[in-house]
Amino acid sequence: MLRYTKFNAGNIATCGEHVEHLGFLYRMWNVRKYTSPQIESKDLRLTLIHSKGGTHYIDQQQHNMTGYQIHLTFPKQSSYFYFLEETSAYQIRISWQNFEKLCHTLSINIKLFKDYPILQISPAKFETLRHEFNKIRIELCHFQPPLSLIATRIETILHEIKHFITRQIDNLAAYTYPPMLSRFLELIEQHYKQQHQVSYYASALNVTSNYLSKLTRRHMQVKPLKLIHDRLLKEAQHLLCSNSNPIKSTIIELGFADFSTFSHFFKQRTNISPSAYQMQSTYHQK
């Protein structure tokens, strides 16, 4: 769904785009002297801003908008923008579930983002991110958006944000995973195609499955099996898009017993069958 609006009234000027598909949303404003509606977000919202003056209220806390910034708004937070001077704003909305999955895949501590929701960035980095935001807008305008490509672009955005934040922090210890958890993530990367069970990784780390579960839930708010499955799913999506004989070779490469098991695994997490996903990907590559 794409909407484009523009109106002028005295010293008020607003124009913008709104693109929404399959739970993702792209929104753009070019505004001055305008107050956006207050919303309570159920998802994560990334807002890229170039402003000559204004305020973003998050849970009634005032954040000044000036220069080049990126703002993060989390689920259950209420927020609205007061654009006082000329401002360009670009916003991406993604579900909290997808955000968590991407953070786990990228080994990013979510607390890092929560503690630094407003970031001042350089004009060059603003343009880099704006390019990614615009590419997501283009993908969402397709009848069947290539979700794996959109996820890859959001990964790039999250990586950039992480780099902005880490350069501002003197002590990263509070945001660093314990050595055993880091080792678990490394083991997943090395063995996820052959080893799908938590018990294998717990044994390799010389701990119980219950201890490993407590570790991941404490530091990542997720069970260890989900981390393994998320990595499997990401690779499955990649292989389905790229192999000459995708489904059969994907089943073999990822260590699934048969088509039925793989199809159930894939559809349960994407709400689409592997064959339908393959056809969708082929369509977008033409």
Side-chain angles (χ1 to χ4, degrees), residues 48-259:
L48 186 63
I49 294 171
H50 176 208
S51 180
K52 293 184 178 178
T55 305
H56 183 191
Y57 291 90
I58 304 176
D59 289 340
Q60 306 307 314
Q61 184 176 353
Q62 179 177 322
H63 301 276
N64 293 330
M65 295 188 300
T66 180
Y68 299 89
Q69 298 175 327
I70 189 158
H71 294 208
L72 288 80
T73 310
F74 294 89
K76 299 183 180 180
Q77 289 186 322
S78 63
S79 75
Y80 66 93
F81 294 92
Y82 174 49
F83 302 105
L84 180 60
E85 302 293 342
E86 292 180 8
T87 300
S88 296
Y90 308 84
Q91 187 177 87
I92 298 292
R93 184 192 73 194
I94 61 175
S95 72
W96 183 250
Q97 182 180 13
N98 284 334
F99 173 67
E100 283 186 314
K101 186 183 299 183
L102 289 169
C103 284
H104 298 156
T105 300
L106 299 170
S107 298
I108 294 174
N109 190 332
I110 294 176
K111 187 175 185 295
L112 187 68
F113 289 142
K114 287 185 173 180
D115 287 353
Y116 293 86
I118 311 295
L119 298 168
Q120 205 76 29
I121 61 177
S122 69
K125 289 299 182 183
F126 175 88
E127 288 302 323
T128 297
L129 292 175
R130 189 168 69 90
H131 173 78
E132 295 297 333
F133 274 57
N134 188 54
K135 287 293 185 180
I136 291 173
R137 177 189 68 83
I138 293 171
E139 302 299 346
L140 287 176
C141 286
H142 290 149
F143 176 68
Q144 292 181 312
L147 299 184
S148 60
L149 182 55
I150 291 172
T152 298
R153 296 198 183 284
I154 293 175
E155 281 185 12
T156 300
I157 293 168
L158 295 180
H159 260 308
E160 291 289 344
I161 295 173
K162 178 186 176 182
H163 291 156
F164 298 148
I165 297 173
T166 54
R167 285 198 295 266
Q168 300 177 27
I169 300 174
D170 294 328
N171 182 13
L172 284 172
Y175 305 100
T176 303
Y177 294 133
M180 185 172 291
L181 182 51
S182 296
R183 179 59 182 151
F184 173 50
L185 297 174
E186 291 173 4
L187 286 173
I188 291 176
E189 194 62 32
Q190 293 168 10
H191 303 292
Y192 70 91
K193 292 182 180 181
Q194 298 82 29
Q195 303 294 340
H196 302 173
Q197 301 301 318
V198 174
S199 57
Y200 168 84
Y201 297 95
S203 177
L205 292 166
N206 198 28
V207 297
T208 66
S209 296
N210 186 49
Y211 178 84
L212 189 56
S213 179
K214 288 180 179 178
L215 191 66
T216 60
R217 290 168 71 92
R218 177 181 177 184
H219 294 279
M220 303 181 78
Q221 297 80 52
V222 67
K223 295 180 179 179
L225 186 60
K226 188 174 188 302
L227 295 173
I228 301 167
H229 285 174
D230 284 350
R231 186 63 184 92
L232 273 168
L233 179 62
K234 181 181 179 182
E235 187 65 13
Q237 291 173 318
H238 170 71
L239 293 172
L240 287 171
C241 291
S242 59
N243 285 3
S244 57
N245 188 16
I247 297 178
K248 183 178 179 180
S249 60
T250 296
I251 292 170
I252 295 171
E253 183 163 347
L254 296 184
F256 285 91
D258 49 42
F259 175 81

